[in-house]
Amino acid sequence: MAPINTVSQVFDAIRAVKSAAPAFCTNFFPIERKVQAWIDHGELAGDLRDGTALFFRKDRDFWHLYFCAASPGTLERELISVKSLKTERMVVDLVGNEAALSELLVLLKQAGFRRYSQLQRMARSPESGLPPASTGDAVVTNAEPADREAIVDLLDSSFDRYADQLPARHEIEAAIAGRQMLAIKCGEVLAAVLFFETQGLTSTIRYWAVAESFRSRRFGATLMRGYLQAHAAVRRFILWVVATNENAVQKYQHYGYAPDGLVDHVLANQLIP
Ligand SMILES: CC(C)(COP(=O)(O)OP(=O)(O)OC[C@H]1O[C@@H](n2cnc3c(N)ncnc32)[C@H](O)[C@@H]1OP(=O)(O)O)[C@@H](O)C(=O)NCCC(=O)NCCS
């Protein structure tokens, strides 16, 4: 694994693999802006081989593995000799329709990964409307730069870092600057956040979290309603949620979200407990 220093290294490597690929397979759908941010923060490394490009993104105390391969067989052959799979904590995500993922699942299990978690995508159309609600008195604000560490703590304590792709500090800073981080505070204490990304007519909830001692007091409700009402022009609302997180799934359903068939298998290597 060697550091990646330019965005073009990433896109050139993907193009090279794709151009000679009989059965291209990948779990990497890079967005230039995000790749640049990973490079700027020294988070991205690569292992560029004949017929396979592997990328590793540092996240807290582990790595996310992304692959682009000329075929599943090429990937299987190359993974055997990747030393870091045996020495570093590593997670790999496989996204798609369940049926389409079975071959890659088997192959990655042979490379030493095991099923760790499963996320499902949920989608909502604006026609869903909102269920009637009693009014709450919490005030929704945009999070401020000084809230960054409290947001890190809230997300780290509410989610599983291996399964939920938690944001780095620089992503939180960018979200605050871009007014994509709604918050509710009780005095000086950060009680709840909703982090979203809106591009064109699609808006994605990245994280919705209420600190444990403030749950079931309609803070989550106030944030969600504030978010949905502020996005009147959006035609498609989406999010990813751990499929077994019944509390969240039921609440998303309450606001009109439903599973759309896309799943994300999160696999972890042996070094992750
Ligand atoms: C998910 C979470 C943010 C919700 O916050 P909360 O404080 O527990 O939720 P609230 O009490 O504000 O309730 C939210 C809404 O769900 C409704 N609700 C409550 N229990 C429900 C249930 N069992 N089924 C369906 N809807 C329910 C509430 O009535 C409210 O709707 P309203 O706007 O019509 O009043 C919070 O539980 C949390 O932080 N969980 C851990 C992190 C997480 O899993 N986040 C989601 C994945 S990204």
Side-chain angles (χ1 to χ4, degrees):
M1 175 198 306
I4 297 274
N5 301 314
T6 65
V7 169
S8 56
Q9 263 178 291
V10 172
F11 287 94
D12 289 351
I14 297 172
R15 250 192 310 275
V17 172
K18 229 179 202 170
S19 66
F24 185 69
C25 61
T26 190
N27 71 339
F28 195 34
F29 307 96
I31 295 167
E32 192 169 332
R33 175 178 52 82
K34 292 201 175 185
V35 172
Q36 185 65 61
W38 296 341
I39 292 171
D40 291 345
H41 293 87
E43 294 169 359
L44 198 61
D47 184 346
L48 311 179
R49 296 159 173 241
D50 196 19
T52 308
L54 303 175
F55 299 98
F56 305 88
R57 178 169 66 85
K58 187 77 179 155
D59 180 355
R60 293 162 171 79
D61 61 345
F62 69 104
W63 297 85
H64 294 275
L65 168 67
Y66 303 103
F67 59 82
C68 302
S71 68
T74 315
L75 179 65
E76 185 173 15
R77 192 189 64 217
E78 293 300 326
L79 283 179
I80 293 167
S81 59
V82 179
K83 286 200 192 80
S84 51
L85 292 188
K86 310 223 165 30
T87 58
E88 303 284 339
R89 292 180 175 208
M90 196 90 57
V91 158
V92 59
D93 284 64
L94 288 180
V95 177
N97 296 312
E98 187 73 56
L101 298 176
S102 50
E103 184 180 9
L104 287 172
L105 268 174
V106 171
L107 187 160
L108 285 159
K109 279 185 188 168
Q110 280 162 1
F113 287 92
R114 67 176 201 285
R115 280 178 189 251
Y116 180 82
S117 182
Q118 185 174 329
L119 281 70
Q120 65 181 20
R121 197 169 73 175
M122 299 183 81
R124 171 189 187 274
S125 79
E127 285 75 39
S128 298
L130 276 174
S134 56
T135 50
D137 54 9
V139 177
V140 177
T141 59
N142 285 300
E144 295 164 1
D147 298 323
R148 188 191 69 178
E149 286 309 303
I151 293 171
V152 171
D153 290 346
L154 177 53
L155 296 182
D156 279 5
S157 63
S158 304
F159 296 101
D160 177 337
R161 66 187 186 285
Y162 299 124
D164 288 310
Q165 309 231 3
L166 295 179
R169 282 178 170 74
H170 63 85
E171 288 182 84
I172 293 175
E173 283 163 11
I176 293 171
R179 300 165 76 86
Q180 296 172 329
M181 186 77 77
L182 302 177
I184 292 178
K185 294 182 199 172
C186 279
E188 293 299 302
V189 180
L190 182 79
V193 292
L194 190 151
F195 176 179
F196 63 91
E197 285 177 347
T198 303
Q199 274 200 320
L201 299 178
T202 301
S203 187
T204 307
I205 292 181
R206 295 279 312 275
Y207 310 96
W208 179 38
V210 176
E212 204 142 359
S213 55
F214 292 101
R215 289 197 190 146
S216 304
R217 286 168 52 175
R218 297 207 67 255
F219 286 6
T222 306
L223 276 179
M224 179 63 83
R225 287 173 178 274
Y227 160 71
L228 293 173
Q229 281 160 358
H231 285 81
V234 164
R235 304 314 301 157
R236 191 157 164 272
F237 293 93
I238 55 174
L239 58 87
W240 287 94
V241 60
V242 171
T244 52
N245 183 352
E246 276 179 37
N247 168 57
V249 169
Q250 284 173 4
K251 287 174 182 168
Y252 285 134
Q253 283 170 335
H254 175 67
Y255 292 114
Y257 285 87
D260 72 355
L262 216 56
V263 297
D264 174 357
H265 288 287
V266 185
L267 310 181
N269 73 352
Q270 314 289 352
L271 297 176
I272 291 181

